[in-house]
Amino acid sequence: MSRIVVLTESADLRDRIRTVVGDHLVDLPLGPLPSDPARLLALAGGTQPLAVVVLDTGPHDQAAALDLAAGLRTDHTGISVVLVSDRPEEIGFAAMRAGVSDIVQPDADPGELGWVLERARRTARTVQSESGGGPGGAVNGSETPPGRVISVASPKGGVGKTTVATNLAVGLARADPHSTVLVDLDVQFGDVGSALNLSPEYTLVDVVHGPAAQDTMVLKTFLTQHETGLYVVCGPGSPAEADSIGVEDVSRLLQTLASEFRYVVVDTAPGLTELTLTVLDNTHDLVLVTSMDVPGVRGLRKEIDILRELGMVFTGRHVVLNFADTQNGLTKTDVEATIGAAVDMMIPRSKGAVASVNQGLPLLQNDRRDPVTTQLRQLVGRFIPSPARTPRSPSAVGKFLGRLRPTPAGTPSSSGSPSSPATRSEGRHRLHRGENRGEQR
């Protein structure tokens, strides 16, 4: 059983943590921090090892909390320490040196507290297992799986890809606060920051280089927080800075974020650049966006063909037609026949959508009534588990994945399964060697 102690003078903080961890919390009296680790362990008592210690700096000298954290790291390396502080940027580096696993704000809601404590518990369990101990089960009663990487891609620009990505991320963040991070990986001309009306202190360049790339706790302090509770990694300030971002940087970043967040939404660059293919190597769900016109649909068909040649099959794939207008000479049936796959969603043209982009206020941020919002909410609903929803049977999953096969629209396929990152990476290298490029030759 994972034992967690919280050392605080705040009954409210202790009660919020108790609502998250339940019986895992060791009930200690409210009061100031103990002077040394031995005193802390004497207060906690018990025969089972501690997994997580929460230290609330409160109004006191934060140096005392950092000294106590450092002592726990030295004397009891299997314990993860979470620091409660309203000055994370100021003490971030000192906390990292003291061995603190994470920093959380005093007013953090139960959702954020739960994720922080579960990450700390997993770290403690790994260390204690290696040393022959082991604190046992998860703080919430079940293991927390790795986060879900959802990449939004398109064969060409100007099809509303960023609008879809930002609304998807905002919708997920509102449904599950502090669970979602949005990454702008259109490294040259990304405008996620503009779409969310953000003025970031740090950008992608800062996140993939320096201390943020080495420590997950520091990384979180480098993220930009949106008013909806969404975390954001904004794109570089200029195209010239993009040259410093390599494929290894991108892979490491996505894997780290997936260990920290439930949903990692990625806005990619148009087309299939080397960085975009690296993103797809680390993607669970792919959202393909195109406009409802001949150039856009033909481009989408080519992209689907190339992904199929590379063996890139995803846990979920979602085809979105943006700017849908059945009066322009194309129908949904025409599009499906051309791309050889089903269209999952059609988002209509909307003046409200254009205004939201210009204002930097995603439609799903303010529950604005607009024809587009219904479709965007349905897209968000594809990624949020519903208690009332019956899990897909294996045959249904097979049919869903079969959309990647070159069969007529609506025809089920009997084969196909998600490909591993290693398989995708091999296919990606074939593409850049000029092999199996089909129509791209």
Side-chain angles (χ1 to χ4, degrees):
M1 179 178 179
S2 298
R3 298 173 68 240
I4 297 172
V5 299
V6 53
L7 300 171
T8 180
E9 297 182 27
S10 168
D12 175 65
L13 175 64
R14 183 186 62 184
D15 292 344
R16 274 183 285 136
I17 292 177
R18 180 180 284 113
T19 63
V20 174
V21 304
D23 294 339
H24 294 276
L25 183 65
V26 178
D27 199 10
L28 297 183
L30 299 174
L33 297 177
S35 57
D36 57 68
R39 176 61 180 160
L40 185 157
L41 295 173
L43 287 172
T47 57
Q48 295 293 324
L50 287 178
V52 181
V53 173
V54 180
L55 303 179
D56 182 10
T57 61
H60 306 295
D61 182 8
Q62 299 196 69
L66 295 175
D67 288 343
L68 184 55
L72 287 169
R73 181 188 63 177
T74 302
D75 300 335
H76 306 277
T77 56
I79 297 176
S80 290
V81 178
V82 173
L83 202 64
V84 179
S85 172
D86 58 0
R87 293 183 286 173
E89 294 85 1
E90 179 181 328
I91 67 169
F93 291 110
M96 177 181 66
R97 289 192 292 269
V100 173
S101 67
D102 216 331
I103 302 176
V104 66
Q105 291 278 356
D107 59 353
D109 60 40
E112 182 173 11
L113 286 171
W115 276 93
V116 169
L117 293 173
E118 174 61 13
R119 288 197 300 266
R121 186 208 62 82
R122 289 204 309 266
T123 300
R125 187 185 64 175
T126 299
V127 174
Q128 293 181 3
S129 295
E130 290 174 351
S131 62
V139 297
N140 58 3
S142 62
E143 292 296 329
T144 299
R148 193 170 179 177
V149 180
I150 306 168
S151 295
V152 184
S154 66
K156 58 193 288 288
V159 300
K161 172 179 54 60
T162 297
T163 299
V164 171
T166 52
N167 275 279
L168 172 59
V170 164
L172 292 171
R174 294 191 67 192
D176 191 356
H178 308 292
S179 67
T180 307
V181 60
L182 172 62
V183 186
D184 190 349
L185 278 171
D186 184 350
V187 295
Q188 289 189 321
F189 300 106
D191 53 5
V192 161
S194 174
L196 293 170
N197 197 26
L198 294 173
S199 299
E201 181 178 359
Y202 303 107
T203 70
L204 179 64
V205 175
D206 304 301
V207 168
V208 300
H209 298 306
Q214 307 300 322
D215 189 275
T216 55
M217 184 190 70
V218 178
L219 170 62
K220 194 169 182 179
T221 68
F222 276 63
L223 304 179
T224 303
Q225 189 161 12
H226 189 250
E227 59 189 282
T228 59
L230 171 70
Y231 292 94
V232 185
V233 178
C234 294
S238 71
E241 293 181 277
D243 293 340
S244 67
I245 301 170
V247 295
E248 295 83 3
D249 300 324
V250 170
S251 288
R252 183 175 61 249
L253 174 63
L254 294 181
Q255 291 165 14
T256 300
L257 292 175
S259 71
E260 298 293 314
F261 292 90
R262 181 169 299 171
Y263 304 107
V264 181
V265 180
V266 184
D267 185 25
T268 65
L272 291 175
T273 66
E274 180 73 3
L275 286 183
T276 296
L277 287 166
T278 300
V279 172
L280 298 185
D281 284 343
N282 294 275
T283 292
H284 300 91
D285 291 82
L286 177 63
V287 178
L288 288 169
V289 182
T290 192
S291 51
M292 196 172 178
D293 52 53
V294 171
V297 173
R298 285 177 59 85
L300 179 59
R301 177 178 63 81
K302 293 177 181 179
E303 182 155 342
I304 290 175
D305 287 346
I306 291 175
L307 294 178
R308 185 183 297 128
E309 290 178 7
L310 298 179
M312 287 188 167
V313 183
F314 304 89
T315 303
R317 195 203 58 193
H318 317 265
V319 176
V320 177
L321 283 186
N322 203 12
F323 312 133
D325 183 357
T326 57
Q327 305 301 315
N328 66 1
L330 287 179
T331 66
K332 179 182 177 182
T333 302
D334 294 331
V335 174
E336 291 179 330
T338 300
I339 66 176
V343 170
D344 298 289
M345 196 162 298
M346 297 177 66
I347 300 178
R349 291 185 179 275
S350 166
K351 292 181 179 179
V354 175
S356 76
V357 172
N358 292 336
Q359 296 167 3
L361 293 172
L363 288 170
L364 294 189
Q365 181 174 340
N366 297 314
D367 297 319
R368 186 181 306 176
R369 285 193 174 186
D370 188 276
V372 175
T373 58
T374 300
Q375 296 298 314
L376 290 173
R377 288 194 187 101
Q378 289 181 9
L379 180 61
V380 173
R382 286 172 169 259
F383 302 100
I384 297 176
S386 171
R389 185 178 301 167
T390 302
R392 289 191 182 104
S393 65
S395 60
V397 174
K399 291 179 181 179
F400 184 72
L401 295 173
R403 291 176 185 169
L404 287 175
R405 299 295 178 183
T407 55
T411 302
S413 171
S414 60
S415 62
S417 59
S419 55
S420 67
T423 302
R424 296 182 198 166
S425 180
E426 172 60 25
R428 174 166 60 85
H429 293 315
R430 291 206 318 271
L431 175 63
H432 283 272
R433 291 198 302 265
E435 300 172 12
N436 297 328
R437 296 187 59 173
E439 290 190 27
Q440 298 303 299
R441 291 191 175 183

